[in-house]
Amino acid sequence: MWTLLAIGSALLLGVYDVAKKQALKKNGPFMVLFAATLLSTILLAPFFKAGTTADHLRLVVKAVLVALAWISGMIGIKYLPLTTVSTIKGSRPVLVILFSMILFGERLNLVQWAGIALIFTAMVLLAHSTKKEGITISNNRGIICMVVSVLAGAASALYDKHIIRGADAIFVLCWSNFYVTAILGLIVLGLWIAGRGKGGDGRLAGEIAQNIHFRWDWMLPVVALLITTSDFLYFYALKQPGALLSVISMLRRCSIVVTFVLGAILFKEKGLRAKSVEMLLIVAGMALLVFCS
């Protein structure tokens, strides 16, 4: 049951990444995130439940990790081809698996280690592919932001395993989403104030204005609905008896295949042949990890 929930979450997450890319055509990255999470909070309003102070403090910590992962990931999506983004994000489950072994005592067999090796090989090949597009690891802000996003996202996933043990899935989803919305709202407000105070610096003011530019787009509620449903399936899967974080994380990251295919079709991105090889390596690594668990 929990594997099917994780697969459903992955499919929605893949479409969510594409929807975010589309929403960025009319809105700044911070406004896309803030608007989407605000709409998600509104959608979840009927399901809010009371909790202890300790529960809320734990969810505030989670919200900080999620906000960091989302903001850096959104900036990465803005500056990188979607196919490159989806391939980089494929490395996140490897970190989750490694730290699941350390923190939760999960163990992998030789075949699963072979899967990890395949995924790391794909990451090395990606570095060469992106150089051909004029993108280098050392000087591209999109790559740096995606690395931050992967690290923060992996930390958030590990933290999910910790907090979901003694909490209701819908409680975690509702309140963590609320706190993420509050954090993003404060960031947007801070940027707006900073932009107004930088009238003499046209370049900086212009960059701030670009990041918080807002124009209503019906893609925003689509983004909100996709991430809300995907997260609900994810938390509910984690709550199931016998659910393994390492396997769920790998299954959920299969969303990169959906993102890769839709990105190639909708945005006509370059370097697809080389990235296809990398994507196949990642999928093969995932298969080894999942089916040999």
Side-chain angles (χ1 to χ4, degrees):
M1 178 64 177
W2 56 269
T3 55
L4 295 178
L5 292 170
I7 291 172
S9 178
L11 294 174
L12 293 173
L13 196 61
V15 182
Y16 161 74
D17 281 336
V18 176
K20 282 194 301 183
K21 181 79 171 180
Q22 191 70 24
L24 282 169
K25 292 182 178 180
K26 294 183 179 180
N27 291 280
F30 288 97
M31 288 308 300
V32 170
L33 289 176
F34 175 62
T37 54
L38 179 60
L39 290 170
S40 295
T41 301
I42 294 172
L43 287 173
L44 292 168
F47 305 103
F48 275 75
K49 301 177 181 179
T52 66
T53 301
D55 289 335
H56 284 281
L57 288 176
R58 282 192 287 268
L59 293 180
V60 169
V61 173
K62 172 178 170 52
V64 171
L65 292 172
V66 171
L68 178 59
W70 283 9
I71 290 172
S72 55
M74 180 63 78
I75 296 174
I77 287 176
K78 181 177 181 179
Y79 291 106
L80 293 174
L82 196 57
T83 45
T84 299
V85 169
S86 62
T87 311
I88 295 174
K89 290 176 73 174
S91 63
R92 173 178 152 181
V94 177
L95 296 176
V96 175
I97 289 174
L98 292 176
F99 281 97
S100 292
M101 294 169 59
I102 297 172
L103 298 175
F104 304 120
E106 296 182 7
R107 292 292 179 267
L108 301 179
N109 55 42
L110 290 177
V111 179
Q112 291 167 323
W113 277 115
I116 290 179
L118 284 177
I119 296 175
F120 273 125
T121 300
M123 294 300 104
V124 174
L125 293 176
L126 173 66
H128 294 286
S129 298
T130 52
K131 279 186 177 180
K132 294 179 181 179
E133 299 179 46
I135 301 171
T136 58
I137 300 294
S138 60
N139 63 9
N140 184 271
R141 72 173 75 180
I143 292 289
I144 294 172
C145 287
M146 286 308 304
V147 170
V148 173
S149 178
V150 166
L151 292 175
S156 176
L158 292 165
Y159 194 59
D160 289 340
K161 179 71 172 181
H162 170 67
I163 62 177
I164 201 67
R165 291 173 174 175
D168 180 65
I170 195 66
F171 173 83
V172 173
L173 175 61
C174 290
W175 283 105
S176 61
N177 191 83
F178 172 80
Y179 290 126
V180 170
T181 303
I183 292 171
L184 293 174
L186 291 174
I187 292 173
V188 169
L189 178 61
L191 288 173
W192 180 76
I193 294 173
R196 287 173 61 88
K198 299 293 182 180
D201 188 341
R203 183 186 62 82
L204 180 57
E207 185 172 347
I208 292 175
Q210 185 180 23
N211 282 324
I212 62 173
H213 171 72
F214 178 74
R215 179 183 174 188
W216 174 254
D217 184 359
W218 284 105
M219 190 58 62
L220 294 173
V222 173
V223 171
L225 182 61
L226 287 169
I227 190 58
T228 301
T229 310
S230 176
D231 281 350
F232 173 76
L233 295 178
Y234 164 66
F235 284 121
Y236 196 61
L238 277 180
K239 194 69 176 176
Q240 300 303 302
L244 297 175
L245 174 62
S246 54
V247 176
I248 288 176
S249 182
M250 293 304 301
L251 285 173
R252 200 171 190 236
R253 200 43 52 191
C254 287
S255 64
I256 64 173
V257 179
V258 178
T259 305
F260 180 85
V261 172
L262 292 180
I265 295 173
L266 297 176
F267 302 112
K268 311 296 183 184
E269 296 180 352
K270 301 182 297 181
L272 298 181
R273 181 175 297 179
K275 291 175 187 175
S276 296
V277 174
E278 296 149 14
M279 189 62 59
L280 288 174
L281 287 175
I282 289 175
V283 171
M286 287 181 175
L288 291 176
L289 287 168
V290 171
F291 294 113
C292 296
S293 296

